[in-house]
Amino acid sequence: MSESRFRGTDRYIATDDLMMAVNAAVTLGRPLLIKGEPGTGKTQLAEEVARALNRQFIQWHIKSTTKAQQGLYEYDAVSRLRDSQLGEARVHDIANYIVKGKLWEAFTTDSQPVLLIDEIDKADIEFPNDLLLELDRMEFYVYETRQMVKARHRPIIIITSNNEKELPDAFLRRCFFHYIRFPDRETMERIVQVHYPDLKKHLLAEALEAFFEIRDVSGLKKRPSTSELLDWIKLLVAEDIPPEALRGDQRKLIPPLYGALLKNEQDVHLFEKLLFMSRRKKD
Amino acid sequence: MMTDFFLKLRRAGLPVTLTEFLTLLEALNQRVATHKVEEFYYLARAALVKDERHYDRFDQVFGTHFKGLTTLFDEIVGATVPLEWLHKLAELTLSEEDKQLIESLGGWEKLMETFAQRMAEQEGRHQGGNKWIGTAGTSPFGAYGYHPEGIRIGQEVSRHRRAAKVWDRREFRNLDDSVELGTRNIKVALRRLRRFAREGAAQELDLDDTIRSTARNAGYLELKMVPERHNAVKVLLFLDVGGSMDDHVRVCEELFSAARSEFKHLEYFYFHNMIYEALWKDNRRRYTEKTETTSVLHTFSQDYKLILVGDATMSPYEVTYPGGSVEHFNPEAGDVWLTRLLAAYPRAIWLNPQSQNRWNHIPSIQMVRELMNDRMFPLTLDGLEQGIRALQRSR
């Protein structure tokens, strides 16, 4: 069991509570539901778990039109009908027209895989309910071929949600749950350090200062998150902006390359307005 | 001990079920968490709490149940405090400097020895002073005090920010919206409002059209697809907040959380007592972030159904006179704005949480009811159904 413990990776900083949630889900073979602000690394977590535990990574991205059945398998009746008109031989075996879904794929791998069900809240309200039994027993029945598909190894299932829809209680009951909090300054420093190890200490401190100040502005439509901070720092490094520029600008202008942090026209306006007001107060 | 904890969580209104509790026990059985209290806390939280809004309540229950780590371990190993365990506690609570200080003062063994001795000597509660185990003193033992190598006993919040336990920090405080979970009835009532329409990408086989086209195609198959049916109802929800609505907060929250999950196109705004020139979306920032009512009128098209929720209990001036609002000076009277809204959204109802038999005694309710063309319904399940029927009828 010791080798299957997740402790974060060289690219991903996991907090203690997150590690515990992942390890509990891995040990008991239950799905793990991850929520949190956008850009806090929910999707990345699954990839990193797969990497850390050296497992195959399967991603099932959910859209508003995704059906639970598509994750299991699809019976392509249309192409069978077409083939029958053209008189092809493969028409006689229905198995030729069963298209495997991601869940099926995860059930039949040689070693225990990591399956990411990304943004489950995008789908229809009934979607999670349709997967209850499959996730619980890790098996399903293919009616067309009268075949039972059973998981060879219970996959590690990680599910992310952006909270757009409430998930049904019956579904929640079967999962472990973790809410990724927005990282505090200390964790943030570690995260940045992991991504840009040779960043000047000075620049990092100033950048974080500016970043948390922007996050504290109330009324922003979309507050910048970790991924935006990382983008911004990448730009700062690429443009070779001196740390002093960040500090000086705090009082006068919007920080340089703000486009990486503020993604909304109204937010930029609001920010300009606030800076203008604070400057007037100082004068 | 665990069962007590479980029952306490349920009593605190957390929707914990037996399945989840068994999962936790199974995880403990498989040694997912070691003997560290933090680990147990994280594990219990991941297994039992499924919504970040409940984190705070969980923290509170956890805090009171495992109050002061001593009580927890009293139950496990009897009334004695094992040395190893105190080591653990000290590792959590003391900084590096503190540990060095302890070394300089004779080290752990000595500290523990003295502690055990004092434990034995002392009976009863003690506060202040610098020797006994108690609170707010400078003795190394006890709580709410300050001593670099002190042992903290039964204190929830660190006073010197040395060792706030995670659950005592209660970082999830403002996520708890304490909406009751019994919204299913309301959801079922709202479901009547669903109207399915075909919208979006073509996905379903249109059998009739396929047969027709195939026949026209001299027997060669030609498939025709149609978009799937979706709930296409659009709802504008205006909620009265504050003042006299305080008594009805719960039922409004229930309605709101039910409506939220039921409709894809739901827009909500808040107002106070009566509709005037501005509305807002966030109560905490209602004075800084207003939405002009006219811009709402221009943004949302006529096919939105309007549901106003308010007790309509106010002074009649607030309805009929410019400047009558209790909060600000309104250039135009409330009835002007309400009439405008109703003109823009012909399908509208007013849901009133005030009990129906009092309606006749409150003049402002009468006035609003007249303005609404009698489409005011009590905010009960029955009233909701009547209202929704009215929404479907009126054109």
Side-chain angles (χ1 to χ4, degrees):
Chain A
M1 204 183 81
S2 58
E3 88 279 2
S4 64
R5 286 229 147 200
F6 176 68
R7 305 192 179 280
T9 64
D10 51 334
R11 289 196 304 220
Y12 193 89
I13 299 290
T15 49
D16 289 346
D17 44 349
L18 178 59
M19 274 188 249
M20 175 52 71
V22 171
N23 286 328
V26 171
T27 314
L28 296 201
R30 305 264 162 101
L32 172 64
L33 174 67
I34 300 279
K35 277 205 238 171
E37 270 184 58
T40 39
K42 296 190 290 292
T43 308
Q44 220 199 335
L45 171 74
E47 275 171 55
E48 294 303 320
V49 169
R51 216 165 63 91
L53 306 182
N54 207 4
R55 300 290 154 86
Q56 194 188 336
F57 177 61
I58 300 171
Q59 184 169 10
W60 183 18
H61 197 86
I62 308 295
K63 294 182 201 152
S64 66
T65 51
T66 310
K67 295 267 165 306
Q69 185 66 32
Q70 292 171 347
L72 311 177
Y73 67 95
E74 276 179 294
Y75 169 42
D76 193 355
V78 175
S79 59
R80 191 175 187 214
L81 201 56
R82 268 206 193 109
D83 283 357
S84 80
Q85 289 213 322
L86 301 170
E88 293 217 6
R90 55 192 292 243
V91 150
H92 301 293
D93 187 3
I94 197 165
N96 285 329
Y97 300 93
I98 302 283
V99 183
K100 285 183 187 178
K102 293 283 182 195
L103 215 56
W104 191 337
E105 200 184 310
F107 281 1
T108 49
T109 47
D110 293 329
S111 64
Q112 185 188 35
V114 174
L115 172 67
L116 167 68
I117 303 181
D118 207 8
E119 309 195 41
I120 196 166
D121 54 327
K122 295 278 181 298
D124 189 72
I125 219 161
E126 292 298 331
F127 178 87
N129 277 336
D130 295 344
L131 282 179
L132 283 184
L133 193 73
E134 284 74 12
L135 293 184
D136 219 21
R137 296 239 218 98
M138 300 279 183
E139 62 182 33
F140 61 88
Y141 188 69
V142 185
Y143 292 95
E144 283 79 2
T145 54
R146 298 193 186 77
Q147 171 193 8
M148 190 68 148
V149 178
K150 260 195 177 147
R152 291 169 62 187
H153 309 273
R154 272 181 94 93
I156 301 166
I157 299 184
I158 294 180
I159 302 166
T160 71
S161 160
N162 274 325
N163 240 351
E164 279 183 22
K165 286 196 193 84
E166 272 179 60
L167 299 170
D169 289 344
F171 177 77
L172 293 175
R173 227 176 293 146
R174 289 165 169 81
C175 303
F176 280 100
F177 171 75
H178 182 74
Y179 180 84
I180 300 191
R181 225 156 28 87
F182 194 79
D184 53 14
R185 185 173 289 253
E186 228 170 87
T187 319
M188 196 55 114
E189 255 170 53
R190 279 168 59 207
I191 293 173
V192 175
Q193 212 62 55
V194 157
H195 286 263
Y196 303 104
D198 39 42
L199 192 68
K200 277 169 261 169
K201 256 236 146 74
H202 209 43
L203 179 68
L204 175 61
E206 296 292 348
L208 280 179
E209 182 85 13
F211 171 74
F212 276 101
E213 238 170 72
I214 292 178
R215 259 186 77 83
D216 280 344
V217 173
S218 67
L220 286 186
K221 287 229 178 320
K222 160 97 181 66
R223 293 199 294 169
S225 64
T226 318
S227 64
E228 270 124 24
L229 173 71
L230 293 177
D231 285 348
W232 186 50
I233 289 180
K234 197 186 202 168
L235 280 176
L236 290 179
V237 174
E239 298 279 315
D240 211 11
I241 302 233
E244 298 77 43
L246 293 178
R247 163 163 292 181
D249 281 356
Q250 277 304 304
R251 305 283 166 266
K252 289 182 213 125
L253 279 163
I254 323 186
L257 307 165
Y258 61 86
L261 289 176
L262 300 170
K263 300 277 174 78
N264 191 309
E265 207 183 303
Q266 281 141 302
D267 284 353
V268 177
H269 281 316
L270 177 78
F271 199 68
E272 274 172 346
K273 232 190 282 174
L274 284 173
L275 282 171
F276 178 70
M277 269 153 55
S278 76
R279 186 168 45 163
R280 223 173 29 176
K281 232 181 268 168
K282 287 232 156 59
D283 289 347
Chain B
M1 185 188 73
M2 290 297 293
T3 322
D4 267 357
F5 179 51
F6 174 67
L7 291 174
K8 266 189 197 164
L9 285 173
R10 296 229 15 134
R11 227 173 294 142
L14 281 158
V16 198
T17 60
L18 200 58
T19 334
E20 285 157 328
F21 184 58
L22 291 175
T23 310
L24 173 64
L25 295 184
E26 192 187 332
L28 285 175
N29 219 8
Q30 299 212 21
R31 300 278 181 280
V32 176
T34 52
H35 45 275
K36 263 203 196 156
V37 198
E38 260 83 2
E39 290 193 4
F40 171 67
Y41 162 72
Y42 291 141
L43 176 67
R45 200 179 67 183
L48 300 175
V49 190
K50 299 298 158 69
D51 192 330
E52 69 276 11
R53 287 175 305 191
H54 297 143
Y55 271 7
D56 183 47
R57 244 181 291 170
F58 177 79
D59 287 357
Q60 284 176 41
V61 177
F62 193 94
T64 46
H65 189 74
F66 299 110
K67 189 177 191 175
L69 299 166
T70 42
T71 32
L72 164 69
F73 279 83
D74 278 354
E75 279 176 77
I76 293 174
V77 286
T80 55
V81 185
L83 194 65
E84 275 163 61
W85 184 75
L86 283 170
H87 269 296
K88 273 272 151 4
L89 173 66
E91 270 169 37
L92 297 176
T93 50
L94 298 182
S95 72
E96 269 319 300
E97 286 166 56
D98 292 340
K99 281 182 201 154
Q100 274 171 12
L101 234 166
I102 293 166
E103 289 307 316
S104 72
L105 287 172
W108 265 110
E109 310 306 321
K110 186 155 174 276
L111 191 67
M112 289 306 144
E113 218 170 87
T114 336
F115 174 66
Q117 207 183 326
R118 296 262 171 93
M119 257 311 230
E121 281 176 49
Q122 176 183 353
E123 275 167 38
R125 192 184 143 76
H126 180 79
Q127 185 161 8
N130 60 9
K131 184 182 176 194
W132 293 120
I133 304 161
T135 48
T138 52
S139 156
F141 313 111
Y144 301 104
Y146 185 82
H147 189 286
E149 84 261 41
I151 295 167
R152 198 179 64 197
I153 298 160
Q155 169 185 340
E156 291 96 53
V157 187
S158 164
R159 300 181 77 210
H160 305 288
R161 298 225 50 85
R162 292 271 161 109
K165 276 169 264 152
V166 264
W167 50 92
D168 280 340
R169 277 188 233 139
R170 295 185 56 193
E171 275 157 344
F172 288 91
R173 201 168 312 170
N174 58 3
L175 291 172
D176 188 350
D177 64 353
S178 60
V179 174
E180 285 295 316
L181 288 145
T183 53
R184 205 180 147 74
N185 289 336
I186 301 179
K187 279 187 195 164
V188 171
L190 286 175
R191 203 156 280 199
R192 282 171 162 259
L193 203 56
R194 283 180 163 190
R195 233 207 14 238
F196 289 95
R198 296 190 184 277
E199 230 176 49
Q203 285 219 317
E204 266 179 0
L205 186 70
D206 185 346
L207 203 59
D208 291 341
D209 201 11
T210 304
I211 293 172
R212 211 178 307 125
S213 311
T214 308
R216 209 179 293 141
N217 214 5
Y220 269 97
L221 191 68
E222 187 175 336
L223 294 166
K224 290 285 172 189
M225 312 293 273
V226 280
E228 258 180 293
R229 279 149 40 96
H230 285 295
N231 186 7
V233 162
K234 300 169 178 176
V235 176
L236 259 179
L237 187 64
F238 286 16
L239 298 146
D240 183 359
V241 282
S244 50
M245 281 297 283
D246 285 350
D247 309 341
H248 314 295
V249 161
R250 220 194 63 162
V251 66
C252 288
E253 275 174 345
E254 283 188 355
L255 175 75
F256 181 56
S257 71
R260 228 182 153 156
S261 61
E262 202 58 28
F263 301 111
K264 208 170 176 188
H265 306 276
L266 174 82
E267 291 293 334
Y268 63 94
F269 290 96
Y270 295 112
F271 64 97
H272 188 205
N273 279 356
M274 191 64 196
I275 310 275
Y276 301 112
E277 64 280 353
L279 305 159
W280 58 93
K281 283 210 103 155
D282 186 339
N283 265 317
R284 272 167 302 171
R285 297 201 286 270
R286 54 180 292 195
Y287 298 108
T288 51
E289 268 175 60
K290 282 185 178 166
T291 315
E292 279 174 37
T293 312
T294 42
S295 82
V296 173
L297 288 175
H298 292 147
T299 313
F300 302 106
S301 56
Q302 258 207 348
D303 54 349
Y304 270 85
K305 293 171 199 279
L306 177 68
I307 301 178
L308 293 137
V309 184
D311 59 358
T313 306
M314 56 196 131
S315 115
Y317 297 109
E318 291 178 57
V319 184
T320 47
Y321 278 86
S325 163
V326 280
E327 286 193 322
H328 68 299
F329 185 85
N330 51 312
E332 286 178 290
D335 55 354
V336 176
W337 280 107
L338 189 57
T339 322
R340 248 176 231 163
L341 265 184
L342 293 176
Y345 305 105
R347 276 163 296 173
I349 53 165
W350 186 297
L351 293 173
N352 195 332
Q354 188 76 259
S355 79
Q356 203 169 358
N357 48 27
R358 294 185 55 199
W359 287 8
N360 287 335
H361 306 295
I362 300 169
S364 62
I365 293 189
Q366 295 288 4
M367 293 160 85
V368 172
R369 207 170 157 188
E370 250 165 60
L371 283 169
M372 290 298 300
N373 228 338
D374 216 27
R375 280 172 294 168
M376 182 184 278
F377 303 93
L379 185 46
T380 56
L381 271 188
D382 190 41
L384 196 62
E385 284 199 11
Q386 286 176 36
I388 279 166
R389 236 172 283 143
L391 270 182
Q392 284 169 325
R393 258 202 318 269
S394 58
R395 278 238 135 227

